[in-house]
Amino acid sequence: MPALNKETVTIARCNRYDPWEVRAALEQVFSPYGGITTLIGSDKRVLLKPNLLAAASPFETVTTHPAIVKVMVEMVQEAGNRVYIGDSPGYDAQEKAHRISGLEEVIKATGAEALYFSDPVYKKIEGFRLWEIPLASELNQVDLVINLAKLKTHSLTGMTAAVKNIYGCVPGTIKARFHFEYPLPKDFSRLLLDAYFAVSPVFSLIDAVVAMEGAGPRKGRPRQVGLLMGAPCAIALDLVAAAVIGFSPEQVSTLAAAKELKLKGSNLNSIAIRGVSLEDCRVKDFDRGPASSGRFSRMLALFPFARIKDLIAARRPYPRIKTEICSGCRACNEACPAQAIGFKGSIPDIDEKNCIRCYCCQEFCSQGAIELVRR
Ligand code: SF4
Ligand code: SF4
């Protein structure tokens, strides 16, 4: 097996979720490591961790596309391994999320086993924010994890891809509790890095065949990017993915945190890109969404002092209910870790004094009835 350069990222063209095209692209992604068998070996229990944010159809681009999960299951099985698929959706039950996202079909067709993330087991770490982290106990049933992320905009962190995807290994409502305890993007991003290093996936892939632009991660618009990307280092992979869709590292809070901590993979100049060149795949007019694009994020990049950056970051947008399309389903109220959402009749009413601007409500509103507005 060739020596693994942790800061090598491979970009492969993949314009459709056609199984043959996906397979060819994935083989290209794994080729710098001598193929997937060389990379992960045989006789292992391998967990594939897709982005399963919510029960959403593949056309909504909320979740990792089932065609990619299916081909990955087949490749890992062909290498002589036992495959599991698991995640902890933020709001919907995992069975429902599997059914609607197409993963149930993948499980039936391939014989992969579903792991339903339930109780946490606390793992001791020397993290950037945590000294122990609650991870799904089911992770103890597997030997290694492969991270199957989706490329989307994200209202809190700017962009969600490989690093943030691992946060799904923190089960259930604990995720919301951490939002409450670490409301600033900078602190929350350090916690996301804690989760990433605690799980330590052997390899990360990003499904950017069709990404999500605009008001991600739940209600943005599908955007054809036509790429599959992969790397052992999720930070390096996210940095390259961010460059593809026009984010600077300062506009993605996980990358800004990694850069501040001088983590490996956080400097684009030290990353070797294989396959398609970065210049050939940049998407120049990608809509980076309301929370991170424009003047606000560019201002953050200009200020060298952490305290000034914190003050600017505190002026983040507030959620506002679009009453004309709200269905009164109360999902936002249940998702709010700060209990800042009451009701006036059937319409939610946000108490801005208590709102910590975590945007969980926007993430879990299936109607797209919550927008972010600046004062
Ligand atoms: S989740 Fe959305 S649709 Fe449901 S009550 Fe809240 S704002 Fe309205
Ligand atoms: S109202 Fe929305 S943004 Fe504010 S704390 Fe609650 S979930 Fe977070």
Side-chain angles (χ1 to χ4, degrees):
M1 173 175 156
L4 291 182
N5 179 348
K6 291 263 181 191
E7 295 181 75
T8 296
V9 172
T10 309
I11 307 176
R13 291 250 181 246
C14 184
N15 285 310
R16 294 173 304 150
Y17 291 110
D18 165 79
W20 298 106
E21 200 167 330
V22 170
R23 175 90 192 207
L26 286 175
E27 281 175 359
Q28 191 185 343
V29 166
F30 288 113
S31 64
Y33 313 95
I36 193 165
T37 311
T38 312
L39 182 72
I40 63 171
S42 305
D43 298 322
K44 304 232 169 51
R45 296 164 298 173
V46 179
L47 172 69
L48 301 182
K49 160 65 181 79
N51 182 326
L52 195 60
L53 173 68
S57 89
F59 302 107
E60 295 177 71
T61 61
V62 171
T63 53
T64 308
H65 198 281
I68 289 172
V69 182
K70 183 163 186 272
V71 174
M72 275 302 300
V73 172
E74 289 164 354
M75 290 174 76
V76 176
Q77 285 175 334
E78 285 164 26
N81 298 289
R82 186 167 172 179
V83 182
Y84 300 83
I85 298 173
D87 192 9
S88 166
Y91 185 67
D92 297 301
Q94 198 169 343
E95 293 92 333
K96 182 181 174 192
H98 277 181
R99 191 173 68 250
I100 296 180
S101 68
L103 290 188
E104 190 178 271
E105 289 294 308
V106 173
I107 288 164
K108 276 189 198 151
T110 60
E113 294 163 62
L115 275 189
Y116 295 105
F117 289 1
S118 54
D119 297 328
V121 167
Y122 283 78
K123 180 176 178 178
K124 298 268 181 229
I125 57 170
E126 287 182 23
F128 306 112
R129 276 292 168 273
L130 303 176
W131 52 275
E132 63 173 9
I133 185 162
L135 295 174
S137 57
E138 289 75 13
L139 290 176
N140 292 333
Q141 296 178 32
V142 301
D143 300 307
L144 54 90
V145 176
I146 299 179
N147 184 14
L148 304 183
K150 184 81 180 173
L151 184 60
K152 300 186 286 180
T153 51
H154 194 281
S155 38
L156 182 68
T157 56
M159 179 190 93
T160 170
V163 171
K164 178 135 191 347
N165 192 43
I166 291 300
Y167 194 49
C169 294
V170 174
T173 54
I174 303 174
K175 288 195 277 296
R177 195 190 83 205
F178 279 139
H179 274 289
F180 187 65
E181 290 174 8
Y182 299 95
L184 283 179
K186 174 181 161 183
D187 293 320
F188 188 68
S189 294
R190 287 186 174 214
L191 186 150
L192 293 176
L193 288 165
D194 285 347
Y196 166 63
F197 286 113
V199 174
S200 205
V202 67
F203 200 83
S204 294
L205 280 165
I206 294 179
D207 166 10
V209 178
V210 183
M212 178 183 281
E213 65 178 1
R218 181 76 189 271
K219 279 290 166 184
R221 296 180 305 278
R223 177 67 194 265
Q224 177 79 22
V225 172
L227 301 173
L228 276 174
M229 296 177 260
C233 172
I235 297 169
L237 181 59
D238 280 1
L239 192 56
V240 172
V244 167
I245 57 175
F247 279 100
S248 70
E250 290 75 16
Q251 290 172 318
V252 179
S253 61
T254 46
L255 292 175
K259 190 174 170 188
E260 206 169 271
L261 294 162
K262 296 188 171 53
L263 299 182
K264 202 166 180 190
S266 62
N267 180 353
L268 198 55
N269 293 329
S270 67
I271 297 171
I273 297 176
R274 305 273 187 94
V276 185
S277 82
L278 187 51
E279 291 318 311
D280 284 345
C281 60
R282 286 189 197 269
V283 184
K284 296 206 169 54
D285 57 348
F286 196 91
D287 177 356
R288 298 190 300 274
S292 59
S293 60
R295 183 168 53 98
F296 179 72
S297 296
R298 285 198 291 276
M299 277 165 66
L300 278 179
L302 289 175
F303 286 95
F305 304 112
R307 181 68 189 138
I308 297 176
K309 282 189 186 208
D310 286 350
L311 288 171
I312 295 171
R315 294 176 59 80
R316 289 174 291 129
Y318 282 93
R320 185 169 67 188
I321 308 293
K322 294 197 251 180
T323 52
E324 65 284 7
I325 52 175
C326 170
S327 68
C329 70
R330 292 182 173 249
C332 53
N333 168 273
E334 288 169 34
C336 178
Q339 298 182 328
I341 304 180
F343 279 85
K344 283 186 178 161
S346 63
I347 299 298
D349 182 37
I350 296 175
D351 175 359
E352 287 191 358
K353 283 198 303 302
N354 289 328
C355 173
I356 57 172
R357 287 165 287 169
C358 62
Y359 313 131
C360 293
C361 52
Q362 188 215 23
E363 202 165 303
F364 294 114
C365 176
S366 61
Q367 303 299 308
I370 298 180
E371 62 183 342
L372 302 182
V373 290
R374 295 193 192 287
R375 293 281 174 267

